[in-house]
């Protein structure tokens, strides 16, 4: 039992939380846990809810619809704003099946299906229909698996793709789906205008087409489409803006029009079996005549005893008299009438089985009728015939037809409105696709079996008195189809203008595309006003194209791309076996998804290869934009799963063996230090790391925190955040790692040992030279540094040590001239050669030239050395100046001797005075009257103590010539038993000691080499130098640091390099 709550609220996002729709306050949580016999788990209550609470929240889940209906109800009802709007719950038929039917069946069926059968033939068109319907069926299977794998909030396909493939793919495909829906609205509006101007009220045309031929007539038609299309679009956008509740209320009316029209077609087909309708087509020879140019299908008529000419005669002859000069083809061929709809029992199917692709402005010809034609005679009076308006080919038919099978997402878009979305979406969608596929396939066969080929190929019904071709087949009247298709296209256009802005609003509110955020806002009730405005503008661009046949392939691209990624998402989740992939819909398989994806890709390039490339470029640009500029989202998507699988596979491959020399690149572990506030102390180390990353290798930025993991974890997290921010600023792509240990030495060792994973481990360590290592408080840094050198040597890792790191350039600086000098003393694998090459790939060092110096000994031939080195560099493909420096043997100077002696004396003092800090504090408190004396060490003086003393500070340092060293000594005769305290005899021995000859020799060489380097490279922008190895025993650590100081004295920027014991460059390709 517990009586107090300390909950702070859960910052976890809705998607990653087990609670779906929880709004319980902290106080209520407190009360609901009180008295529940949960005292044992009291500490975990804020992160681990009780099972009963979880189940209650799941059972009471309600997802308010994101549709327009509730927005309008809330707008019209003030009380509804103050109450929770209960979402209407729909079943499979009303919620999924009928909306999908309404979206799938539409303008293409009524305006282009007969033409597709006439041009492509029954077999070809059936193949197209089967391919497209198979694609949507396979996509529906994949979509059903995704939709039943958990709760899908409103947002439909965009939500499914983005949460399955990640924000980059989700945003790209979401925009494509939005553009597809928007262009679909343009296509429906163009279909609506086509029905209005050609079949209902042709006289309403603003640009008159009577008397115009060819391109002029086509231009007049397109201009009419543009003007009326813009007017209708403005009206529809206004309707959607003012109140989309009217669109929702009329949805069933529009659906009824579609169903009624289809039933009228089937009724007409049945009627043709026993009573075919009378739709005669007039044919001159084998050419189909446009019915608007005549009233009687004959050249002459007998009236009484006189033979009179008809309008048809006057159309082809220069006068109405029988002796007039007529068109040669007209004179040579007879006029006949054929039945446009011979009926299902006529056997016309055999004639319509195969394709008849035609060039633009070709004359429609009836198969099987002989005609007399002079091949050399020019074509005249072509406007009297029925002409084709576009050049047709198989892939064009695919692009025009595919929009008629889109709309399968209508059910998933309403997932929030369904009683049981996981049951209704698969059943309703697959049932709708099955129904519409049967309708389309049967339509192909029935049209081919009932209607003559010339009528089928007559796109605008010019040969059948301007009737809609599918209308000629309908019963009881063609006007049933005309008005039914008109209202259905109007309704479909309104639905597109309603749905597209909401899709854009969902994308904008996700925040993954920054420049779209403004479209996430709308009216007070959430209506997407700005998104509607953008949708109308894009839709207007489709209307300005003005040709339904040109707009259809555009939206086909965007829908096909969307469907392709739905299939990809399902296939990925199945193949990756993600633990959270548990769809209720079991009738899916990754092979079906991959087949669906392949079909989508094939259809994209079949429809139009250049539109496909444009769509892919748009999607790719959006993808890269989201990747670089978009908000970072973690949605548990499948792409992350691919990354994990690919990373695991690559790591396992890397384990097979060490990389070849040609593949070697610096994988850098950067050892950073943090201050007390967990801020990075030396940010220029990361600048140098960024400049070295032309090798594109791994980067691990490590830091250490002293303490225990339980107590210091917050500090480690702060330090990690500091590292990440600095890495982002310096554009270093890699990983950060902060290690907590009881001491910094062990933490650094852990980083060197355990950094990386498997074969992807660091091979180079970058560390900064300890700046003030001679000071007492920095002595531990000195020891740590030497241990790092030892450990990297033992681990066969390369080591880079930067001295004067604060003087190194930032990434924003540029060197316009200067040199990078490489002092190649010993060969340790070629690191010295590779590093300047990598640096010069960066813009900071690009203008610097490389100079390589090597040292010749007494017995070396310096001229031959230079030639060999130049040849070596030539084979390495490095561009550098070469210089061989000769160093002759010389006597050891007195200064070198004295400096070595000072160094050893300092080491001896530190060894004698190896007291802990607490012991020194106790000594200073215990002594009542300390006596102090100063030892002044000049350049040529010999150090001598003036009294028996013991040093209180372990920091007397051997300084450079001319400087003075001050050492403070304190009397300590009362503690003779402490072995750590020096006695007077030890002090005397120490100052009478002679320097070790080996140290004298090392100091001499270091000093001589430093003189040469300073002379040649003092003005260099950077000096790279072989780093000497560390002492094998720990007694000479301070001496080692002194040698490094002497070696690098007087140089501004120095990079000490120690190879890892393997070759990193090769002359071979």
């Amino acid at each position: 039992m517990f009586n107090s709550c300390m909950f702070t609220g859960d910052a976890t996002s809705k998607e990653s939380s087990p609670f779906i729709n929880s709004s319980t306050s902290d106080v209520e949580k407190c009360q609901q846990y009180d008295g529940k016999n949960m005292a044992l788990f009291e500490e975990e209550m804020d992160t681990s809810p009780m099972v009963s609470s979880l189940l209650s929240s799941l059972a009471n889940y309600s997802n308010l619809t994101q549709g327009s209906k509730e927005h309008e109800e809330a707008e019209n009802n003030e009380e509804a704003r103050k109450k929770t709007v209960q979402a209407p719950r729909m079943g499979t038929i009303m919620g999924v099946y009928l909306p999908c039917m309404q979206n799938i069946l539409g303008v293409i069926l009524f305006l282009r299906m007969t033409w597709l059968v006439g041009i492509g033939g029954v077999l070809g068109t059936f193949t197209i229909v089967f391919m497209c319907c198979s694609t949507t069926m396979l996509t529906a299977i994949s979509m059903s698996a995704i939709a039943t794998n958990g709760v899908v909030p409103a947002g439909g396909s965009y939500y499914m793709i983005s949460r399955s493939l990640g924000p980059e793919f989700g945003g790209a495909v979401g925009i494509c789906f939005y553009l597809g829906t928007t262009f679909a609205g343009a296509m429906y509006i163009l279909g609506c205008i086509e029905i209005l101007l050609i079949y209902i009220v042709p006289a309403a045309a603003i640009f008159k087409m009577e008397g115009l031929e060819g391109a002029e007539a086509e231009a007049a038609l397109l201009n009419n489409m543009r003007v009326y299309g813009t007017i209708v679009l403005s009206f529809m956008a206004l309707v959607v803006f003012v109140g989309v509740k009217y669109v929702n209320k009329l949805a069933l009316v529009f659906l009824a029009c579609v169903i009624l029209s289809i039933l009228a077609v089937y009724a007409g087909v049945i009627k043709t079996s026993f009573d075919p309708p009378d739709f005669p087509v007039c044919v001159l020879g084998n050419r189909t005549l446009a019915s608007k140019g005549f009233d009687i299908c004959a050249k002459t008529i007998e009236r009484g005893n006189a033979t009179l000419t008809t309008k048809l005669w006057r159309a082809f002859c220069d006068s109405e008299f029988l002796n007039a000069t007529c068109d040669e083809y007209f004179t040579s061929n007879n006029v006949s009438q054929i039945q446009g709809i011979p009926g299902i029992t006529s056997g016309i199917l055999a004639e319509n089985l195969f394709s008849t692709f035609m060039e633009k402005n070709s004359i429609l010809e009836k198969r099987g009728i002989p005609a007399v034609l002079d091949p050399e005679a020019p074509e005249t009076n072509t406007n009297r015939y029925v002409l084709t308006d576009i050049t047709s080919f198989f892939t064009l038919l695919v692009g025009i037809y595919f929009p008629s099978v889109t709309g399968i997402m209508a059910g998933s878009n309403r997932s929030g409105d369904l009683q049981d979305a996981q049951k209704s979406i698969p059943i309703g969608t697959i049932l709708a696709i099955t129904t519409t596929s049967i309708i389309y396939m049967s339509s192909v066969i029935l049209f081919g079996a009932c209607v003559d080929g010339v009528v089928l190929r007559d796109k605008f019904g010019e040969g059948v008195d301007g009737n809609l071709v599918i209308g000629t087949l309908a019963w009881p009247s063609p006007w049933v189809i005309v008005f039914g298709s008109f209202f259905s296209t109007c309704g479909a256009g309104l639905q597109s203008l309603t749905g597209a802005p909401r899709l854009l609003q969902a994308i904008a509110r996700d925040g993954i595309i920054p420049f779209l955020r403004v479209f996430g806002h709308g009216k007070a009730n959430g209506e997407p006003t700005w998104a509607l405005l953008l949708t109308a503008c894009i839709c207007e661009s489709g209307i300005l194209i003005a040709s339904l046949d040109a707009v259809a392939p555009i939206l086909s691209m965007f829908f096909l791309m969307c469907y392709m990624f739905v299939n990809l998402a399902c296939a990925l989740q199945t193949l990756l076996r993600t633990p959270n992939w548990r769809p209720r819909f079991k009738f899916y398989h990754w092979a079906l998804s991959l087949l669906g994806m392949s079909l989508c890709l094939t259809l994209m390039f079949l429809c139009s290869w250049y539109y496909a490339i444009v769509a892919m470029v748009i999607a790719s640009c959006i993808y890269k934009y989201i990747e670089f500029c978009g908000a970072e989202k973690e949605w548990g998507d499948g792409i992350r799963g691919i990354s994990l699988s690919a990373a695991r596979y690559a790591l396992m491959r890397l384990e097979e063996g060490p990389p070849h020399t040609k593949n070697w690149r610096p994988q850098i572990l950067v050892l950073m230090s943090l201050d007390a506030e967990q801020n990075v102390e030396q940010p220029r180390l990361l600048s140098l790391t960024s400049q070295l990353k032309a090798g594109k290798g791994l980067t691990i930025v490590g830091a250490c925190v002293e303490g225990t993991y339980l107590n210091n974890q917050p500090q480690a997290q702060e330090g990690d955040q500091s590292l990440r921010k600095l890495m982002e600023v310096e554009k270093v792509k890699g990983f950060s790692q902060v290690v907590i240990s009881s001491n910094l030495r062990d933490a650094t060792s852990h980083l060197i040992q355990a950094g990386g994973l498997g074969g992807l481990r660091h091979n180079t360590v970058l560390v900064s030279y300890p700046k003030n290592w001679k000071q007492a408080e920095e002595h531990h840094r000195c020891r740590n540094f030497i241990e790092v050198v030892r450990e990297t040597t033992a681990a066969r890792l390369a080591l880079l040590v930067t001295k004067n790191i604060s003087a190194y350039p930032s990434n924003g600086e540029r060197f316009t001239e200067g040199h990078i000098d490489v002092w190649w003393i010993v060969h340790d694998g070629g690191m010295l050669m590779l590093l300047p090459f990598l640096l010069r790939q960066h813009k900071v060092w690009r203008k610097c030239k490389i100079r390589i110096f090597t040292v010749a000994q007494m017995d070396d031939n310096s001229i031959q050395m230079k030639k060999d080195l130049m040849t070596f560099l030539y084979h390495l493909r490095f561009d550098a100046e070469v210089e061989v420096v000769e160093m002759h043997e010389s006597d050891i100077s007195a200064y070198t001797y004295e400096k070595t002696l000072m160094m050893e004396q300092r080491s001896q003092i530190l060894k004698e005075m190896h007291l802990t800090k607490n012991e020194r504090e106790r000594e200073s408190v215990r002594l009542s009257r300390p006596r102090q004396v100063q030892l002044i060490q000049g350049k040529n003086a010999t150090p001598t103590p003036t009294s028996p003393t013991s040093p209180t500070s372990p920091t007397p340092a051997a300084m450079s010539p001319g400087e003075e060293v001050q050492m403070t000594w304190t009397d300590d005769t009362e503690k003779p038993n402490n072995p750590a305290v020096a006695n007077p005899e030890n002090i005397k021995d120490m100052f009478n000691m002679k320097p070790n000859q080996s140290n004298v020799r090392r100091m001499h060489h270091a000093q001589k080499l430093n003189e040469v380097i300073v002379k040649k490279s003092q003005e260099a922008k950077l000096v790279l130098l072989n780093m000497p190895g560390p002492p094998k025993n720990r007694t000479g650590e301070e001496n080692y640091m002194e040698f490094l100081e002497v070696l690098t004295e007087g140089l501004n920027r120095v990079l000490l390099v120690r190879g890892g014991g393997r070759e990193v460059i090769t002359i071979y390709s």
Side-chain angles (χ1 to χ4, degrees):
M1 301 284 288
F2 57 93
N3 297 320
S4 63
C5 276
M6 301 178 68
F7 305 150
T8 58
D10 191 1
T12 310
S13 65
K14 178 180 177 182
E15 293 161 25
S16 59
S17 171
F19 292 99
I20 303 177
N21 197 23
S22 176
S23 59
T24 311
S25 68
D26 291 347
V27 177
E28 289 171 341
K29 285 181 182 178
C30 227
Q31 294 171 352
Q32 72 182 10
Y33 292 140
D34 193 15
K36 300 292 186 184
N37 298 319
M38 298 295 290
L40 187 61
F41 300 94
E42 180 175 342
E43 297 298 329
E44 289 115 26
M45 276 301 158
D46 54 344
T47 56
S48 304
M50 291 190 298
V51 174
S52 58
S53 306
L54 174 64
L55 295 178
S56 174
S57 296
L58 290 171
N60 295 328
Y61 164 64
S62 66
N63 184 7
L64 295 183
T65 176
Q66 302 293 321
S68 53
K69 190 173 182 181
E70 288 66 45
H71 286 310
E72 288 299 331
E73 289 176 356
E75 186 179 47
N76 295 334
N77 187 353
E78 289 293 326
E79 294 299 322
R81 295 185 183 181
K82 302 174 184 177
K83 300 178 181 178
T84 302
V85 181
Q86 294 298 321
R89 295 301 184 180
M90 293 183 287
T92 303
I93 301 297
M94 293 299 295
V96 181
Y97 178 72
L98 291 180
C100 284
M101 287 276 290
Q102 182 184 4
N103 279 268
I104 294 172
L105 300 171
V107 63
I108 301 295
L109 174 64
F110 298 124
L111 294 184
R112 294 291 182 269
M113 198 66 188
T114 53
W115 178 78
L116 289 169
V117 175
I119 296 292
V122 172
L123 294 179
T125 309
F126 190 88
T127 302
I128 293 173
V129 172
F130 182 77
M131 282 175 58
C132 295
C133 291
S134 300
T135 302
T136 53
M137 179 61 78
L138 292 171
T139 304
I141 291 172
S142 299
M143 184 191 72
S144 299
I146 297 173
T148 58
N149 186 51
V151 177
V152 178
S157 58
Y158 162 69
Y159 183 91
M160 290 189 294
I161 294 170
S162 62
R163 269 56 177 181
S164 296
L165 291 179
E168 294 88 0
F169 276 110
V173 179
I175 292 296
C176 286
F177 190 51
Y178 163 74
L179 292 174
T181 307
T182 305
F183 276 102
M187 185 187 73
Y188 291 132
I189 292 174
L190 289 174
C192 170
I193 302 304
E194 185 175 309
I195 295 169
L196 180 70
L197 291 182
I198 295 179
Y199 305 114
I200 299 180
V201 279
I206 297 174
F207 299 89
K208 301 299 181 184
M209 291 180 286
E210 286 80 2
L212 299 179
E213 296 184 22
E216 293 179 350
E218 183 181 357
L221 175 62
L222 295 181
N223 287 332
N224 283 322
M225 301 282 277
R226 292 183 181 108
V227 172
Y228 277 99
T230 304
I231 294 172
V232 172
L233 172 63
S234 303
F235 175 74
M236 287 185 175
L238 186 63
V239 169
V240 172
F241 176 76
V242 171
V244 291
K245 62 181 178 181
Y246 304 113
V247 179
N248 290 330
K249 288 178 180 178
L250 290 173
L252 286 177
V253 176
F254 296 142
L255 178 60
C257 291
V258 175
I259 295 174
L260 187 63
S261 300
I262 293 171
L263 292 176
V265 172
Y266 279 109
V269 169
I270 295 171
K271 183 175 178 293
T272 63
S273 61
F274 57 87
D275 183 18
D278 184 27
F279 276 101
V281 177
C282 191
V283 177
L284 174 62
N286 63 355
R287 296 178 175 180
T288 309
L289 293 169
S291 57
K292 65 181 179 181
F294 60 90
D295 51 355
I296 299 172
C297 185
K299 294 182 180 181
T300 59
I301 56 172
E302 300 291 335
R303 185 167 295 171
N305 294 325
T307 301
L308 303 177
T309 58
T310 61
K311 285 185 178 181
L312 186 60
W313 177 281
R314 293 191 288 273
F316 284 92
C317 301
D318 57 2
S319 72
E320 61 184 9
F321 303 108
L322 292 174
N323 60 355
T325 303
C326 296
D327 182 85
E328 185 177 345
Y329 186 85
F330 180 77
T331 306
S332 305
N333 292 276
N334 295 323
V335 176
S336 60
Q337 267 191 339
I338 60 171
Q339 188 56 260
I341 303 178
I344 196 170
T345 57
S346 64
I348 196 72
L349 179 63
E351 185 181 316
N352 293 330
L353 274 179
F354 302 104
S355 60
T356 309
F357 298 117
M358 305 180 73
E359 296 291 329
K360 185 176 181 179
N361 293 325
S362 298
I363 300 171
L364 291 186
E365 296 179 349
K366 167 67 176 170
R367 292 175 182 171
I369 297 180
V372 179
L373 176 63
D374 183 2
E376 297 181 359
E379 293 288 349
T380 55
N381 294 299
T382 53
N383 61 322
R384 309 302 179 188
Y385 304 108
V386 179
L387 305 175
T388 56
D389 64 328
I390 58 172
T391 300
S392 53
F393 41 90
F394 182 79
T395 56
L396 174 74
L397 305 187
V398 176
I400 291 175
Y401 173 74
F402 187 80
S404 64
V405 296
T406 59
I408 62 173
M409 301 288 187
S412 64
N413 289 345
R414 296 168 178 241
S415 57
D417 305 337
L418 303 173
Q419 290 178 358
D420 187 356
Q422 299 193 359
K423 176 184 176 183
S424 297
I425 289 177
I427 295 174
T429 305
I430 293 174
L431 194 59
I433 293 175
T434 304
T435 306
T436 53
S437 298
I438 291 171
I439 291 173
Y440 282 127
M441 291 179 186
S442 63
S443 297
V444 171
I445 297 171
L446 293 176
F447 291 164
C450 294
V451 185
D452 193 278
V454 291
V455 178
L456 290 173
R457 290 187 286 279
D458 186 359
K459 185 185 288 186
F460 302 111
E462 295 176 78
V464 285
D465 298 324
N467 282 296
L468 183 62
V469 174
I470 194 174
T472 61
L473 190 60
W475 180 87
S477 167
W479 291 105
V480 175
I481 296 288
V482 171
F483 284 105
S485 59
F486 176 76
F487 286 117
S488 71
T489 51
C490 288
L494 282 170
Q495 292 284 359
S496 296
L497 288 179
T498 304
R502 280 167 180 74
L503 178 59
L504 181 62
Q505 187 181 43
I507 298 170
R509 285 182 173 175
D510 257 346
I512 57 174
I513 305 179
F515 73 84
L516 288 182
R517 283 177 185 154
V518 64
F519 299 107
H521 306 296
K523 291 196 288 187
N525 63 352
E527 283 296 304
T529 308
W530 292 106
L532 174 62
L533 185 62
L534 179 64
T535 302
C537 293
I538 297 174
C539 194
E540 175 64 18
S541 68
I543 287 172
L544 292 177
I545 296 174
S547 171
L548 188 147
D549 299 323
V551 172
I554 296 176
L555 65 100
S556 294
M557 290 302 113
F558 293 123
F559 278 120
L560 279 167
M561 184 166 286
C562 178
Y563 296 166
M564 181 174 70
F565 281 102
V566 169
N567 285 297
L568 175 62
C570 181
L572 279 183
Q573 300 279 26
T574 308
L575 289 172
L576 291 174
R577 294 186 176 92
T578 311
N580 194 49
W581 179 246
R582 302 184 300 275
R584 288 188 176 276
F585 180 78
K586 301 298 182 184
F587 305 100
Y588 69 94
H589 193 270
W590 62 266
L592 293 177
S593 298
L594 287 179
L595 177 61
M597 188 181 74
S598 303
L599 273 174
C600 289
L601 193 60
T602 303
L603 286 174
M604 283 179 69
F605 283 92
L606 274 180
C607 292
S608 173
W609 64 268
Y610 45 89
Y611 279 160
I613 292 175
V614 169
M616 288 181 171
V617 167
I618 291 174
S620 301
C621 291
I622 297 170
Y623 178 95
K624 298 306 290 184
Y625 176 79
I626 296 173
E627 187 178 43
F628 286 110
C629 305
E632 294 183 5
K633 299 282 183 179
E634 175 54 68
W635 288 331
D637 50 83
I639 295 297
R640 298 297 175 93
I642 290 183
S643 301
L644 286 172
S645 298
R648 183 191 63 181
Y649 175 77
L651 283 171
M652 297 302 290
R653 289 291 303 273
L654 286 174
E655 280 288 330
E656 294 178 3
H660 190 274
T661 302
K662 289 185 286 188
N663 294 327
W664 193 93
R665 59 195 65 197
Q667 319 271 27
I668 302 177
L669 168 64
V670 188
L671 297 179
M672 308 289 291
S673 54
L674 303 173
D675 60 18
E677 284 76 31
Q678 309 307 321
N679 295 319
V680 178
E681 287 187 340
Q682 295 167 330
R684 289 294 170 89
L685 262 183
L686 280 187
S687 301
L688 179 62
T689 305
S690 175
Q691 293 157 23
L692 278 170
K693 291 314 290 177
K696 303 294 183 186
L698 170 75
T699 301
I700 302 174
V701 182
C704 307
V705 173
E706 194 169 0
T708 62
Y709 185 77
L710 293 178
N711 296 333
N712 298 91
Q713 188 184 6
Q715 290 92 319
Q717 290 176 345
E718 289 177 19
D720 190 63
Q721 288 297 321
S722 299
L723 292 179
R724 287 177 183 273
K725 287 179 182 176
L726 186 59
M727 289 171 68
E728 187 176 345
V729 170
E730 299 292 345
K731 297 180 181 178
V732 174
K733 292 187 177 180
F735 309 98
S736 60
Q737 188 172 3
V738 178
V739 174
I740 306 173
S741 185
S742 56
N743 60 77
L744 296 179
R745 171 82 292 278
D746 289 345
T748 306
S749 180
H750 296 334
L751 275 174
I752 294 174
Q753 293 178 60
L757 179 64
L760 195 65
R761 298 192 70 249
H762 55 272
N763 54 29
T764 306
V765 177
L766 176 61
V767 65
S768 179
Y769 189 84
K771 189 175 181 182
N772 300 315
W773 63 272
K774 295 180 181 180
Q775 297 178 5
E777 59 271 15
E778 297 292 328
H779 185 61
H780 66 285
R781 291 182 184 268
C782 170
R783 297 184 64 85
N784 285 350
F785 171 75
I786 297 174
E787 288 301 311
V788 167
V789 178
R790 282 201 178 100
E791 288 180 2
T792 53
T793 303
R796 298 177 65 83
L797 300 174
L799 177 65
L800 309 179
V801 179
T802 60
K803 190 173 182 189
N804 299 332
I805 184 62
S806 57
Y808 277 64
S810 66
N811 286 331
E813 296 180 41
R814 304 284 185 276
F815 288 134
T816 56
E817 58 181 359
H819 295 92
I820 300 175
D821 285 358
V822 178
W823 283 85
W824 193 19
I825 313 300
V826 294
H827 179 64
D828 56 359
M831 276 288 287
L832 276 173
M833 302 292 183
L834 185 61
L835 290 175
F837 169 77
L838 296 179
L839 283 173
R840 286 194 70 231
Q841 307 303 306
H842 196 273
K843 52 193 174 185
V844 173
W845 305 91
R846 192 164 292 153
K847 300 270 181 85
C848 293
K849 296 180 180 179
I850 301 176
R851 295 190 300 189
I852 296 180
F853 297 90
T854 187
V855 177
Q857 304 300 325
M858 285 294 294
D859 52 350
D860 291 331
N861 185 339
S862 58
I863 298 175
Q864 188 61 39
M865 277 183 67
K866 184 172 182 178
K867 288 181 180 179
D868 294 342
L869 181 54
M870 291 177 68
T871 305
F872 181 57
L873 291 177
Y874 175 78
H875 287 306
L876 287 176
R877 291 88 64 199
F878 286 165
D879 183 20
E881 299 176 21
V882 174
E883 186 171 342
V884 177
V885 178
E886 295 183 354
M887 286 185 61
H888 301 292
E889 287 293 334
S890 60
D891 295 334
I892 299 174
S893 66
Y895 169 66
T896 301
Y897 190 88
E898 292 171 7
K899 193 163 183 74
T900 308
L901 182 61
M902 289 169 55
M903 175 185 73
E904 292 187 351
Q905 288 173 353
R906 178 181 183 279
S907 299
Q908 185 67 25
I909 291 171
L910 291 175
K911 183 179 178 181
E912 294 286 341
M913 289 309 303
H914 190 59
L915 289 174
T916 64
K917 182 179 179 182
N918 292 335
E919 288 173 333
R920 292 201 304 271
E921 288 176 353
R922 285 198 299 271
E923 289 298 314
S924 62
V925 170
R926 190 174 62 84
L927 295 175
S928 58
R929 291 183 302 171
R931 290 183 296 136
Q932 295 186 344
V933 2
Q934 283 189 330
L935 294 179
I936 309 300
Q937 173 62 49
K939 177 174 178 179
N940 299 314
T942 304
T944 6
T946 49
S947 62
T949 56
S950 68
T952 59
S953 172
T955 62
M959 306 296 284
S960 58
E963 292 183 345
E964 292 184 344
V965 176
Q966 294 190 358
M967 292 183 281
T968 303
W969 305 80
T970 304
D971 186 15
D972 186 10
T973 57
E974 300 179 20
K975 197 175 179 182
N977 296 327
N978 190 342
V981 180
N983 55 48
E985 295 298 325
N986 289 341
I987 296 297
K988 290 179 181 178
D989 293 340
M990 181 181 66
F991 284 107
N992 292 329
M993 64 187 291
K994 293 184 178 180
N996 183 286
Q997 290 302 311
S998 175
N999 287 340
V1000 172
R1001 191 174 67 254
R1002 287 190 177 95
M1003 183 65 76
H1004 173 64
H1005 288 163
Q1007 187 179 344
K1008 294 295 290 182
L1009 187 58
N1010 174 256
E1011 289 176 1
V1012 175
I1013 295 174
V1014 170
K1015 180 181 178 182
K1016 297 285 187 180
S1017 302
Q1018 193 166 22
E1019 300 300 323
K1021 301 300 182 186
L1022 179 64
V1023 176
L1024 283 83
L1025 182 64
N1026 284 115
M1027 183 177 184
K1032 293 182 179 179
N1033 53 45
R1034 299 185 183 277
T1035 57
E1037 289 179 347
E1038 289 79 10
N1039 300 346
Y1040 176 66
M1041 295 301 295
E1042 286 284 359
F1043 293 145
L1044 293 182
E1045 282 287 345
V1046 171
L1047 184 62
T1048 58
E1049 191 176 5
L1051 298 173
N1052 186 22
R1053 301 183 193 93
V1054 182
L1055 184 60
L1056 295 169
V1057 181
R1058 185 160 176 77
R1062 62 159 295 161
E1063 293 292 333
V1064 300
I1065 54 174
T1066 178
I1067 64 174
Y1068 300 104
S1069 60

